Amino acid sequence: KRDGSAFYTTLPVMRDGTCNSIQHWAANLLDPVAAELVNLAPGDKPGDAYVAALDILIARLKRIVELDLEGKEIAQGWLDYGLDRALAKTPTMTLSYGAKRFSMTDGIDEWIADRLDQGIPEPFGGKYFKQAIWLTNEIWASIKQTVGSAMVGMKYLQDLTSVCLKDGIPISWITPTGLYVRQAYYDMKPSRVKMRLLGDSIRLTLNVAKGQSLYDRHAMVNGIAANFIHSLDASAMYMTMNKAMDQGVQAFCMIHDSYGTTAVDTPILSQCTREAFVELYRDTDHLQAIRDHVKPLLSSKYRDCLPDVPKRGDFNIESVLKSDHFFS
């Protein structure tokens, strides 16, 4: 205010994607429900996938109580304890990266610990392990009703990876920006080696093959969803920066799905973010593309074992260009 337009600022103004992993899943599968919840679709108010999942969870628990269904006491116990957005945020966010149900149970434990720090006592007199497992299943079902497309996409990628492993090869793909990605988690175990050098005793730890299988199946299957989505959001960032630089933007502060530049260039970066995302998904089905890449790498025995590409919805990806809350 003091210097007017002569003021020179280097402070980055940040804009974050709305549950960015689900944004990519919604775009991959053109899911209109998920797209609205993560602000791919334009709207007067920003969508909130976490609140949507929480609302469904609370409604499910109330229904169990009202209809006197199995688990009524547990449902009432959680309702009495009080459920909030923080409970739904972590499982909704991490599920789209391949998180499993047991990790959601760990998340409930951390959520309770945070509330304990706020002076809210533990539920069920501190003995809530079985009740937390029960609640995990209800959270899982609630998220499925909101961003179920992420589960469909993850299952497809995991099945694709499993076929590759049966043929003894790692899964690989080419990103939209031309980067070759090869996911290869080897099945290794640490082995201690003792040796002497110039009179001194030295102990080294080496990783050696654990068994006959070259790759760690658990790590390969569990890692594919996160790695694939990260490769797409990295492509989106790359494309965004190229577009912005073409329009004269020179200062960037980019962290995963958090994009920043100086205040004067923020409108340019915001527009480039939307344009790059639409360009990323406009003419390409990336789930089909990874299948097409993998198929010729397989032996003839396994080429017909590949899973079918998930069907896509009717969301118009061009809508992102009009979404003010896409990154906000």
Side-chain angles (χ1 to χ4, degrees):
K1 290 181 70 174
R2 183 190 64 208
D3 298 341
S5 60
F7 181 72
Y8 184 81
T9 175
T10 59
L11 183 69
V13 177
M14 308 301 297
R15 297 171 72 86
D16 297 352
T18 305
C19 201
N20 186 241
S21 59
I22 295 177
Q23 287 183 322
H24 282 282
W25 278 122
N28 270 303
L29 292 166
L30 298 180
D31 179 354
V33 175
E36 184 174 348
L37 291 174
V38 294
N39 298 318
L40 296 192
D44 295 334
K45 296 181 180 180
D48 192 325
Y50 311 138
V51 170
L54 177 65
D55 289 345
I56 292 174
L57 173 62
I58 292 175
R60 287 178 64 90
L61 299 191
K62 287 183 177 179
R63 181 175 181 275
I64 290 172
V65 173
E66 291 170 0
L67 298 181
D68 199 21
L69 301 177
E70 183 179 355
K72 173 184 176 181
E73 292 78 12
I74 298 176
Q76 187 63 62
W78 285 117
L79 289 170
D80 292 342
Y81 181 63
L83 308 178
D84 58 23
R85 184 177 183 271
L87 171 66
K89 180 177 180 179
T90 298
T92 304
M93 181 171 53
T94 57
L95 176 136
S96 52
Y97 286 126
K100 302 297 182 182
R101 294 195 194 196
F102 70 85
S103 65
M104 292 187 183
T105 305
D106 290 339
I108 293 173
D109 206 36
E110 294 174 5
W111 171 69
I112 290 172
D114 289 340
R115 288 164 68 90
L116 191 61
D117 291 339
Q118 301 170 28
I120 303 173
E122 295 177 321
F124 303 98
K127 299 178 180 179
Y128 57 83
F129 180 72
K130 291 182 179 179
Q131 291 87 342
I133 294 176
W134 183 91
L135 184 61
T136 295
N137 293 326
E138 293 300 317
I139 293 174
W140 184 275
S142 301
I143 296 174
K144 190 174 182 179
Q145 287 184 243
T146 54
V147 292
S149 55
M151 296 182 180
V152 172
M154 287 188 299
K155 177 67 164 54
Y156 166 75
L157 291 178
Q158 290 167 352
D159 290 345
L160 208 64
T161 304
S162 295
V163 174
C164 290
L165 292 174
K166 289 178 181 177
D167 203 20
I169 65 171
I171 190 164
S172 60
W173 64 97
I174 306 294
T175 72
T177 50
L179 178 69
Y180 171 71
V181 182
R182 179 176 181 270
Q183 177 185 284
Y185 295 116
Y186 295 101
D187 194 15
M188 310 290 278
K189 65 178 180 180
S191 177
R192 296 280 285 175
V193 178
K194 183 179 179 180
M195 59 184 293
R196 297 187 69 82
L197 178 65
L198 301 177
D200 293 329
S201 180
I202 299 175
R203 290 178 174 82
L204 302 176
T205 301
L206 303 177
N207 284 327
V208 298
K210 185 185 294 185
Q212 294 182 345
S213 176
L214 180 60
Y215 302 107
D216 184 333
R217 187 184 187 284
H218 180 78
M220 291 286 283
V221 171
N222 286 347
I224 182 60
N227 289 329
F228 184 74
I229 291 299
H230 281 313
S231 77
L232 292 178
D233 63 41
S235 296
M237 180 187 288
Y238 183 91
M239 293 164 65
T240 298
M241 292 183 70
N242 280 346
K243 284 181 174 293
M245 290 179 72
D246 287 344
Q247 295 190 42
V249 180
Q250 296 180 324
F252 295 94
C253 180
M254 315 291 274
I255 311 169
H256 183 46
D257 66 332
S258 182
Y259 296 1
T261 188
T262 51
V264 68
D265 287 333
T266 292
I268 297 175
L269 184 61
S270 295
Q271 183 62 25
C272 290
T273 302
R274 292 190 287 268
E275 291 176 358
F277 193 85
V278 171
E279 185 178 315
L280 184 66
Y281 288 103
R282 177 183 283 132
D283 300 316
T284 306
D285 182 343
H286 298 293
L287 298 181
Q288 177 70 59
I290 187 174
R291 189 183 192 277
D292 292 343
H293 172 81
V294 164
K295 188 172 183 177
L297 303 178
L298 294 168
S299 63
S300 57
K301 178 181 178 180
Y302 290 100
R303 287 177 187 170
D304 293 335
C305 299
L306 290 172
D308 293 331
V309 179
K311 293 182 179 180
R312 308 174 87 188
D314 58 1
F315 175 69
N316 182 4
I317 197 66
E318 301 288 339
S319 301
V320 174
L321 295 173
K322 301 178 181 179
S323 176
D324 293 331
H325 303 296
F326 173 54
F327 268 58
S328 59

